[in-house]
Amino acid sequence: MSSFMEAIYPVDRQNDGMSLQDEGQARACSLPEIASLVELVRIESMTKEEAIRAADPYSIGSLLREAEPFSGDQGDLGAPELLLGWCDDARGMGIFAEDWTYPPEQAEALSGTAGLTLLREDDWLARGHLKEIYEEWIMQYAGLSGRPHPSIACRERLLYRWKGHMETVLHHLDERVLRVALISGLDIMKGHPREKEALSDLRDIQLEALFRAALACHRQGMEHRIEILVPHTSDPEAWNQTHELIERVAEETLCHQRRAVSFSIGALMNADIACSAAADLARSANLLVLDCGGISDPETPWPDDVVEHIAALSGTIRKIRPRLLLRATGLRNTADLPAVYRAGFAEIGVPAEQLPAFRLAAAQWEIQQRAGRSSSSQSTIRVKG
């Protein structure tokens, strides 16, 4: 038995209240150590829960990449994938990747682990394979090409190229949920008199491309659920206008086949949104997603004031819609998971490269919490006895 296994086996069953970053806790952080955990589970000398608790979340991502060249083997080098599969079974929280579809060939593996995703296409639109057409469309809109308005031909090229991209994404998702955030801004046209008009038209194109792609997949026998998020709005009037835009484009694009595409409309809220504004959105949105990208730091957990504000937001929303599913996205630090759980978020979104760490860390947290409740219950029984 390795020195690592001598340190952690048998796992201390009484240490049920430890945090995700308890110092002094031996953690499996190499392929041989993870393989040892998996083997102990196979011979029933350790439970899956004990193996999960003994693994290191901060190493699991690199171990997956290290094991990838050997993933076709039948030996122990598949242990990280097997361990993460146990994590998914042991965990109630949904964890989805963000922007894993560039290139889309990466989508299949990641969507298989999480089953969910969130597309934010602002940055990609200016750098991906739509870049040339998008810039031409913007130049025409801004009047820099000598044309007063974008040509229909340019719009159609942008629309159908975008539809092809969305269709590829949906094919890789294989009948799962796709969350799409509407384009939030046009950096190229900042301050331009037609900036607001251009943004509305670009969202129109984005929505039409999305609905056409979903309808094409439906005709091929694939069923998807689409969740469209209105980004960073705290103004009820702006929310209503965008909501009406989505409904209008859906009606015009899908026509009598509207029921063929299942979609819902939600809000992507800034983390500093006021509780009153969040309450207004909760009254009309199908789902609420808190964008933590601006406050989440890979090195530093949330400060107390941020934790308190997020808890207050959750409490306010629950008073309006007790059963509304809350989600958080843009998380970068597994140390923020306890605050996310306590605030009642059921799903989180993380960068694709950090997906393994969060899958493992979240499973560890939930196992620890269940063990703590079980220990408290047993203590209560003993006291009553």
Side-chain angles (χ1 to χ4, degrees), residues 2 18 50 148 163 181 192 226 252 283 310 316 353:
S2 70
M18 65 181 180
E50 289 170 339
K163 171 186 173 290
H192 192 279
I226 298 172
E252 294 174 352
R283 292 184 177 94
I310 289 176
T316 299
E353 65 272 12

Side-chain angles (χ1 to χ4, degrees), residues 78-280:
E81 294 89 342
L82 186 57
L83 181 71
L84 287 176
W86 296 342
C87 290
D88 296 337
D89 293 336
R91 190 189 68 242
M93 175 176 280
I95 302 178
F96 57 93
E98 299 176 5
D99 291 347
W100 46 251
T101 51
Y102 316 119
E105 289 74 17
Q106 298 176 357
E108 187 172 351
L110 286 172
S111 66
T113 61
L116 304 162
T117 190
L118 171 65
L119 293 186
R120 305 183 195 224
E121 300 190 291
D122 293 75
D123 293 337
W124 167 79
L125 193 61
R127 290 196 287 267
H129 64 272
L130 290 185
K131 179 177 185 293
E132 184 177 345
I133 300 175
Y134 166 68
E135 289 182 346
E136 180 183 349
W137 182 86
I138 284 290
M139 288 181 65
Q140 291 184 10
Y141 222 110
L144 300 177
S145 62
R147 300 181 62 95
H149 298 282
S151 67
I152 295 177
C154 183
R155 184 188 191 279
E156 291 299 302
R157 291 206 315 274
L158 180 58
L159 169 63
Y160 282 102
R161 187 73 67 85
W162 209 333
K163 171 186 173 290
H165 159 66
M166 286 292 190
E167 200 169 338
T168 300
V169 171
L170 289 170
H171 272 281
H172 279 284
L173 268 177
D174 189 24
E175 303 189 12
R176 294 187 176 92
V177 179
L178 175 63
R179 295 187 175 91
V180 180
L182 293 182
I183 297 297
S184 60
L186 301 175
D187 291 337
I188 300 177
M189 293 191 68
K190 284 295 183 186
H192 192 279
R194 302 186 69 190
E195 178 185 0
K196 186 176 180 180
E197 181 185 358
L199 178 60
S200 179
D201 280 359
L202 190 62
R203 287 178 169 178
D204 191 308
I205 296 172
Q206 180 186 16
L207 288 165
E208 185 174 348
L210 174 61
F211 289 135
R212 288 187 181 276
L215 188 57
C217 289
H218 170 76
R219 290 168 177 165
Q220 297 168 32
M222 291 180 288
E223 301 297 332
H224 297 91
R225 182 161 60 89
I226 298 172
E227 295 177 348
I228 302 169
L229 301 179
V230 179
H232 311 150
T233 178
S234 57
D235 177 15
E237 183 178 354
W239 158 261
N240 291 333
Q241 289 175 351
T242 308
H243 193 284
E244 291 172 2
L245 171 67
I246 297 170
E247 293 285 359
R248 177 181 60 79
V249 175
E251 188 68 31
E252 294 174 352
T253 304
L254 303 174
C255 299
H256 65 281
Q257 294 182 296
R258 169 115 184 217
R259 294 185 179 180
V261 177
S262 175
F263 71 93
S264 55
I265 304 172
L268 183 64
M269 308 180 299
N270 283 334
D272 61 354
I273 188 172
C275 289
S276 57
D280 289 337

Side-chain angles (χ1 to χ4, degrees), residues 308-356:
E308 291 172 1
H309 178 64
I310 289 176
L313 281 175
S314 175
T316 299
I317 293 167
R318 290 297 180 207
K319 291 178 182 178
I320 306 296
R321 301 272 297 278
R323 296 184 180 181
L324 187 65
L325 192 65
L326 295 180
R327 299 171 182 137
T329 189
L331 294 175
R332 301 290 184 271
N333 194 333
T334 57
D336 297 326
L337 278 172
V340 171
Y341 272 104
R342 293 184 185 114
F345 289 88
E347 295 176 356
I348 59 173
V350 303
E353 65 272 12
Q354 291 185 270
L355 191 61

Side-chain angles (χ1 to χ4, degrees), residues 335-382:
D336 297 326
L337 278 172
V340 171
Y341 272 104
R342 293 184 185 114
F345 289 88
E347 295 176 356
I348 59 173
V350 303
E353 65 272 12
Q354 291 185 270
L355 191 61
F358 275 89
R359 290 168 67 194
L360 175 54
Q364 290 177 339
W365 174 260
E366 293 191 26
I367 289 170
Q368 291 163 18
Q369 295 304 297
R370 287 196 295 268
R373 288 192 295 269
S374 176
S375 177
S376 298
S377 176
Q378 291 175 5
S379 298
T380 303
I381 293 173
R382 285 196 295 270

